[in-house]
Amino acid sequence: LMFAAGVWGGLVQPGGSLKLSCAASGSIFSITVMGWYRQAPGNQRDLVAAIVSGGSPTYAESVKGRFTISRDNAGNTLYLEMNSLQPEDTAVYYCHAGGVRSTPRDYGRNYWGKGTQVTVSS
């Protein structure tokens, strides 16, 4: 499996928007869940949003109503639309894939993207 960020983060003004994406490729039979995590300096890596295959998205309370996660199941591509960004959203954002199986008989594995910096500042 390979993870690649299709859209990188960057510097965004408060109130601005940014869309992140990542894609999984390689020998993939199925991916149970994909999500976005973020980690600010000195903090733990926290779940931002996740979406289970065939299910509804879940969001951290801090981003509810502002962020939208979506998943292209066929292409194994994950998106995070971030709106009304605030300085407290500043962090390194990581794409995650869980329950990844290369074959139907394989057990699920976890994969992390390298992360991309999102900075919200005037």
Side-chain angles (χ1 to χ4, degrees):
L1 181 81
M2 296 186 66
F3 259 178
V7 179
W8 287 14
L11 179 62
V12 185
Q13 295 182 359
S17 299
L18 186 67
K19 189 173 185 177
L20 306 180
S21 67
C22 70
S25 62
S27 299
I28 302 172
F29 172 75
S30 64
I31 301 176
T32 300
V33 61
M34 299 185 76
W36 291 96
Y37 291 72
R38 68 186 181 186
Q39 186 171 20
N43 295 332
Q44 65 181 355
R45 186 176 298 183
D46 295 322
L47 175 69
V48 176
I51 182 166
V52 177
S53 179
S56 300
T58 60
Y59 298 93
E61 286 296 323
S62 59
V63 306
K64 231 169 191 175
R66 299 188 297 120
F67 291 9
T68 302
I69 188 172
S70 59
R71 176 181 174 182
D72 180 352
N73 289 323
N76 299 311
T77 303
L78 187 70
Y79 304 92
L80 184 67
E81 177 70 31
M82 301 182 291
N83 300 308
S84 301
L85 284 163
Q86 301 299 317
E88 50 265 36
D89 296 315
T90 297
V92 176
Y93 285 72
Y94 298 89
C95 180
H96 173 260
V100 181
R101 295 192 295 165
S102 299
T103 71
R105 295 174 59 86
D106 196 12
Y107 59 89
R109 301 174 185 268
N110 295 311
Y111 293 90
W112 291 94
K114 293 182 179 180
T116 184
Q117 177 72 45
V118 173
T119 301
V120 185
S121 176
S122 299

